[in-house]
Amino acid sequence: MQVWFRNGSEHNEARVFRHRIVLEGIVQGVGFRPFVRQLADRFGLAGTVFNDSGGVVIEIDSADDDQPRMFLDALRAEAPSASCIERLTVEGRECEIARAHFTIAPSPPRENSFTLTSPDLGTCAACAAEIRDPADRRFGYPFNNCTNCGPRYSITILTPYDRATTTMAKFEMCAACALEYKDPANRRFHTEPIACPVCGPRLSFSVEEAVAAIARGEIVAVKGLGGFQLACDARNAGAVQELRRRKRRNRKPFAVMVKDVETACYYFAVSEDDRRLLTDRAAPIVLLPLRNGSLFPGEVSSGLPHFGVMLPYTPLHHLLFHGGPDCLVMTSGNLSEEPIVIENGDAEAKLASIADRILTHNRDIFMRVDDSIARTFEGTPRLLRRARGYAPKAIRLAHAVPDVLAAGGELKNTFCITRGNYAIPSQHIGDLENYETLQFFQETWQNLRQVYQAEPGVIAHDLHPDYLSTRWALSQPGPKLGVQHHHAHVASCMAENRIRGPVIGVAFDGTGYGTDGQIWGGEFLVCDYKGFERRAHLRYVPLPGGDKAAKQGWRMAASHLFDAFGEEFRDLDLDCWRHVRLADWEIFGTALVRPSLWTSSCGRLFDSVAAICGVSLENGYEAESAMLLETAAAEDSGVDRYMADIDFKSMPWTIDTRPVIRRAAADVKAGRAAPQIAGAFHRGVAQTIDAVCRAIRERDSLKEVCLSGGTFQNWTLLHETVGLLRGSGFEVRLHSQVPPGDGGLSLGQAVIAAAFLER
């Protein structure tokens, strides 16, 4: 923060100075203006406060410096908890006439500036208590909110953030709400989405009817904060299975919403770090293991040991637990692979075949925002999906950068824009595989472009020519920049840790288009924002069937086995070979002997080992086999490890995975249990990472290691790898603000593109 005051020598009791305070950061939609008004009244200061498109502006008139200084000290110390002051400046000038009162003024626009938009906030304790209190006028009201909570980003149409620029504009305040809105002592003072049963939004039918339907085992579509959700009794295995059938979601786990944190602790093992994350105002889905002895239908998690758990984050959610089940499946309201539904009409058209009842309301959702997913590691929340509660919160960069747009990747897409010292990633868009998701991408881009007045000097995109995000970027006017996938992964980790490099980047994932036209995914890079050198990679193996190999792990198992044993692998009598035989060996064998595509993917290596040891032969959803392999590894407490060989003869070095495959196959033949094989494999991968990083340090004298890519969403591998690297003296940098997977890719693309413009 930078602050300028008059020098003490200029102090003159007879002169009145007007101090203009400009606040930048997340200072709109978080109760800042009411807070400033109350603070000014406390110190007896006259002046004004208003939002503008750059933040919050405060003007106070005073004949001395003591009161303004005390005011500023309190401003910093007591700022609303949901706010984030990124910059504070003060300028003073003499004025002839001092104001008599302190007022909240209308918000004038300001050209060529922007303000950081607040994410949606979970219901605060005070508002939750009111809807439970029969004596309160908002008893049972599903749209209760105040300056400390409620909708923000999802209802904001334009900035500055005022009621007139939100979807609440059509609801005229009643007299009682207007009094609260104008009362500086009220916590709803200038709460833009303020509402009550008299003047606010209304449901299409009662909450009691929805609760009764869920209790009967029915599926209810509920219009939530950033889109519709599908709810059913999580303890009713039949209802959960029926939801799977109707939504065409065969094996992918469902998230659950529990009544309160005590209920979460009853069913799940909740650490203190997990508890803090669960009760955070962002209210993400938190991955938690079942508590010992706790029973839960396997239909919810599909065999995975961790459940996605969240608490109610809107008043409507709180009311759904009044008299009904204490644990609900709460999953996105959409057809498979499509964006979450936000319009009432679309819900009737698209969700009628899934839901028995559809509970709508008449407050429009302007921006669709799915639930965020997080997990704690070393006491820090780590985002796996960045959406509601976090987006579009800006990430402060180490220095100001040029304006760019980064289009992201194909899977788990986000895009990112930069303005000044900030990178602003979008919320989770999803897999860009259809027209509906591309529309969502474009809608969100147009909205954030307006909010941040973004005029990018270049559009960054992935090198893969067939990605929809790449094709979209290339269709736009202006300069373009292709960014290598794994360089972007490492750069995203660098950006959120505010380091400029060079660093050792370990980028492990399933798929990324390489500069040689092959599919990368097991990469060791030395890089900064301006470029990278490939120091090492996993040995190339054939990619039989192209994209099919990402879904059918037995294909990659056959490829790795063929690489390790030649055609003799057919004599190993493994399950994956039986699938190859059914696929017609003559055709399949050609893809192995004369491959058209090769890969160094670590994700596909995980799929291969999962198939070899019989844990999983196919991915019903992305990374299912790898997650099941991690689940098996968690049951092993051994110390054995499968080590790869490293060929240092030429650069980039090749990490030969054939010894790993031979060991795994031999152990299967010897009757070794799958958990032991999985455990040895995980430990071996971590040991190999450490060995390669030590070799790079010896060559390049680097001590910082950035771990990125979807493979590092594997907590077993991450824990083992971080421990080994730190034991070897490395400074390890991890993700926390964006996912390590492709959801964080756009941030890396953005800072690389900005560095390109700075050359």
Side-chain angles (χ1 to χ4, degrees), residues 590-605:
T590 301
L592 298 180
V593 176
R594 293 191 295 277
S596 58
L597 203 57
W598 299 81
T599 185
S600 60
S601 168
C602 186
R604 302 291 78 82
L605 177 62

Side-chain angles (χ1 to χ4, degrees), residues 519-572:
I519 303 302
W520 293 7
E523 311 306 314
F524 292 81
L525 311 177
V526 169
C527 60
D528 55 20
Y529 298 132
K530 294 182 179 180
F532 73 93
E533 294 180 10
R534 195 184 190 197
R535 284 287 178 268
H537 62 83
L538 298 186
R539 175 183 167 87
Y540 280 126
V541 295
L543 188 67
D547 289 343
K548 290 181 181 179
K551 296 180 179 179
Q552 299 173 328
W554 57 266
R555 289 178 176 270
M556 285 311 304
S559 179
H560 273 284
L561 288 164
F562 181 78
D563 185 49
F565 292 98
E567 291 199 16
E568 294 178 7
F569 93 89
R570 290 186 288 175
D571 300 326
L572 296 174

Side-chain angles (χ1 to χ4, degrees), residues 117 152-170 364-367 446-448 450-451:
T117 302
R152 299 294 191 270
Y153 176 54
S154 61
I155 64 168
T156 300
I157 301 170
L158 299 168
T159 57
Y161 175 73
D162 287 314
R163 190 180 183 91
T165 58
T166 72
T167 60
M168 286 296 295
K170 66 181 180 182
D364 294 334
I365 298 169
F366 182 69
M367 284 309 307
Q446 291 303 326
N447 178 54
L448 288 182
Q450 181 277 322
V451 168

Side-chain angles (χ1 to χ4, degrees), residues 59-376:
E59 292 181 353
I60 53 176
D61 299 343
S62 176
D64 62 50
D65 281 348
D66 290 339
Q67 284 179 306
R69 286 186 189 279
M70 290 188 293
F71 173 85
L72 276 176
D73 288 343
L75 187 74
R76 294 191 193 96
E78 303 172 28
S81 58
S83 67
C84 180
I85 302 174
E86 296 281 1
R87 180 178 168 85
L88 184 155
T89 59
V90 181
E91 295 178 351
R93 62 181 175 82
E94 190 174 353
C95 63
E96 295 181 1
I97 302 176
R99 297 180 176 93
H101 307 286
F102 196 94
T103 60
I104 295 180
S107 305
R110 190 173 78 185
E111 292 186 2
N112 300 320
S113 63
F114 65 94
T115 187
L116 301 180
T117 302
S118 169
D120 298 300
L121 305 175
T123 304
C124 69
C127 284
E130 286 175 341
I131 65 173
R132 294 193 299 266
D133 183 1
D136 194 279
R137 75 186 191 93
R138 291 186 173 86
F139 173 62
Y141 186 57
F143 304 97
N144 194 20
N145 65 88
C146 69
T147 56
N148 300 315
C149 67
R152 299 294 191 270
Y153 176 54
S154 61
I155 64 168
T156 300
I157 301 170
L158 299 168
T159 57
Y161 175 73
D162 287 314
R163 190 180 183 91
T165 58
T166 72
T167 60
M168 286 296 295
K170 66 181 180 182
F171 299 99
E172 185 176 350
M173 292 181 213
C174 66
C177 284
L179 282 174
E180 293 173 326
Y181 184 84
K182 297 174 183 176
D183 180 5
N186 194 289
R187 80 173 197 281
R188 293 189 175 87
F189 184 48
H190 273 263
T191 296
E192 305 306 342
I194 189 172
C196 77
V198 174
C199 63
R202 298 184 180 185
L203 297 174
S204 57
F205 59 86
S206 73
V207 176
E208 290 76 14
E209 291 178 75
V211 171
I214 291 171
R216 291 194 300 268
E218 295 181 11
I219 299 165
V220 177
V222 179
K223 190 175 184 180
L225 197 61
F228 277 83
Q229 296 168 302
L230 295 164
C232 72
D233 182 355
R235 302 275 291 163
N236 185 330
V240 176
Q241 194 60 40
E242 181 63 14
L243 177 57
R244 285 199 176 281
R245 187 189 68 79
R246 294 184 190 180
K247 198 180 177 185
R248 303 196 297 271
R249 185 166 171 165
N250 294 332
R251 298 203 296 266
K252 192 173 182 180
F254 282 132
V256 295
M257 180 179 284
V258 296
K259 182 178 181 179
D260 48 36
V261 72
E262 290 73 26
T263 305
C265 293
Y266 177 80
Y267 289 116
F268 306 99
V270 182
S271 69
E272 282 303 310
D273 292 333
D274 294 331
R275 188 185 185 100
R276 281 191 291 272
L277 184 54
L278 271 175
T279 56
D280 186 83
R281 65 178 58 249
I285 296 170
V286 181
L287 297 186
L288 300 172
L290 277 178
R291 189 171 58 83
N292 287 338
S294 177
L295 298 177
F296 223 84
E299 288 81 1
V300 174
S301 70
S302 295
L304 295 179
H306 286 79
F307 288 67
V309 182
M310 58 182 153
L311 299 182
Y313 57 83
T314 71
L316 178 54
H317 289 138
H318 282 277
L319 294 170
L320 287 174
F321 289 100
H322 287 193
D326 63 357
C327 187
L328 303 175
V329 164
M330 193 68 71
T331 188
S332 55
N334 61 338
L335 296 174
S336 182
E337 310 305 331
E338 290 189 7
I340 189 171
V341 172
I342 62 172
E343 300 284 352
N344 292 348
D346 286 346
E348 296 290 344
K350 294 185 175 183
L351 302 181
S353 61
I354 303 175
D356 299 296
R357 301 290 301 274
I358 301 177
L359 181 59
T360 67
H361 57 72
N362 58 342
R363 184 180 72 197
D364 294 334
I365 298 169
F366 182 69
M367 284 309 307
R368 72 187 84 218
V369 193
D370 218 326
D371 293 317
S372 294
I373 304 175
R375 193 173 180 182
T376 57

